[in-house]
């Protein structure tokens, strides 16, 4: 089992450019979440994709967008890069459990993380 | 909405002594709680999770945590620290919306 994979591992861009980061989920997982981890801070939730749709979104501007493909892999796109976008971008995969099962206590919302993509904006 | 507060930004222990990392949570719903570890230049690894079963949760590498609803706490402990435990530790809460909310992290240093 390959686990969660992300590409590229490192990326250097300049202000104003656009970037695309990629994620392949763990085998059997259908949900992908993206997080931004600035230096010295905890990861911050960007958004989550399930069934090729954005299901949840954190407090990030519209410059951050994503996509999920039929094979459950996902992309994170960031437009008009700012210096403050420099961070480690983490992808996490999980298996969706319906709300009914959730309220019955059958939650399995454990998320498995990839190694991350280190983005540097100059 | 849910959130966690890690009460110590940095903990330093001697090898072979106990480790205690403190975490308080806030959640409108019955939460799932996790502890993740991040070694330098590595991804996040799950240490343990609480999902409304036993309140004392055992994880990998000798770590355990106790869920105390009355104190809204989920502290992480290990009886005897090892040099390989030096890393960043994150307390994490998940509510009904599935997203994870991370604490600011606790850096653990282990002295020989």
């Amino acid at each position: 089992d390959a686990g969660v994979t992300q590409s590229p591992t490192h990326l250097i861009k300049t202000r104003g450019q656009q970037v695309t980061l990629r994620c392949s989920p763990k085998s059997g997982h259908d949900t992908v979440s993206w997080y931004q981890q600035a230096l010295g801070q905890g990861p911050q939730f960007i958004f989550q994709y399930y069934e090729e749709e954005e299901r949840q979104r954190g407090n990030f501007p519209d410059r951050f967008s994503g996509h999920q493909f039929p094979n459950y892999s996902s992309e994170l796109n960031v437009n008009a890069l700012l210096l403050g976008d420099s961070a480690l971008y983490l992808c996490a995969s999980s298996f969706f459990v319906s709300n009914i099962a959730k309220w019955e206590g059958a939650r399995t919302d454990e998320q498995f993380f990839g190694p991350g993509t280190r983005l540097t904006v100059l | 909405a849910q959130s966690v507060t890690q009460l110590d930004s940095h903990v330093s222990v001697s090898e072979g002594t106990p480790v205690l990392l403190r975490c308080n949570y806030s959640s409108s719903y019955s939460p799932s709680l996790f502890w993740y570890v991040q070694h330098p230049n590595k991804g996040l690894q799950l240490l343990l999770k609480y999902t409304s079963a036993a309140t004392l949760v055992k994880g990998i590498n000798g770590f355990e945590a106790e869920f105390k609803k009355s104190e809204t706490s989920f502290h992480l402990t290990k009886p005897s620290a090892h040099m390989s435990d030096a890393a960043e530790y994150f307390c994490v809460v998940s509510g009904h919306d599935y997203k994870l909310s991370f604490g600011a992290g606790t850096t653990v240093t282990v002295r020989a």
Side-chain angles (χ1 to χ4, degrees), chain A residues 35 37 40-43 45 48 55-56 88 90 96-99 102-103 105 107 109-115, chain B residues 29-32 34 36 38 41-44 46 49 51-52 90 94-100 102-105:
Chain A
Y35 296 82
Q37 185 178 18
Q41 298 182 22
F45 174 76
Q48 183 179 87
R55 181 166 67 176
Q56 292 281 340
L88 179 67
L90 296 164
F96 174 68
V97 177
S98 69
N99 280 328
K102 191 177 187 72
W103 300 131
R107 283 192 276 195
D109 48 0
E110 175 181 339
Q111 296 187 13
F112 292 79
F113 284 82
Chain B
Y29 298 86
S30 179
S32 292
F34 309 83
Y36 281 86
Q38 186 175 38
N41 300 314
K42 295 287 182 66
L44 289 157
L46 180 68
K49 63 180 179 180
T51 54
S52 73
F90 294 98
S94 174
H96 74 293
D97 56 2
Y98 302 100
K99 74 176 186 180
L100 302 183
F102 284 74

Side-chain angles (χ1 to χ4, degrees), chain B residues 32-112:
Chain B
S32 292
L33 291 160
F34 309 83
W35 276 97
Y36 281 86
V37 62
Q38 186 175 38
H39 288 92
N41 300 314
K42 295 287 182 66
L44 289 157
Q45 181 184 21
L46 180 68
L47 281 177
L48 49 80
K49 63 180 179 180
Y50 165 78
T51 54
S52 73
T55 57
L56 183 61
V57 182
K58 293 188 182 298
I60 62 172
N61 300 336
F63 285 95
E64 65 179 37
E66 186 172 7
F67 173 74
K68 291 186 177 181
K69 186 175 181 178
S70 61
E71 300 177 9
T72 61
S73 69
F74 189 58
H75 301 335
L76 180 71
T77 60
K78 182 173 181 177
S80 176
H82 190 271
M83 296 299 289
S84 61
D85 294 327
E88 189 80 11
Y89 291 79
F90 294 98
C91 182
V92 183
V93 63
S94 174
H96 74 293
D97 56 2
Y98 302 100
K99 74 176 186 180
L100 302 183
S101 296
F102 284 74
T106 298
T107 302
V108 172
T109 303
V110 182
R111 304 184 301 271

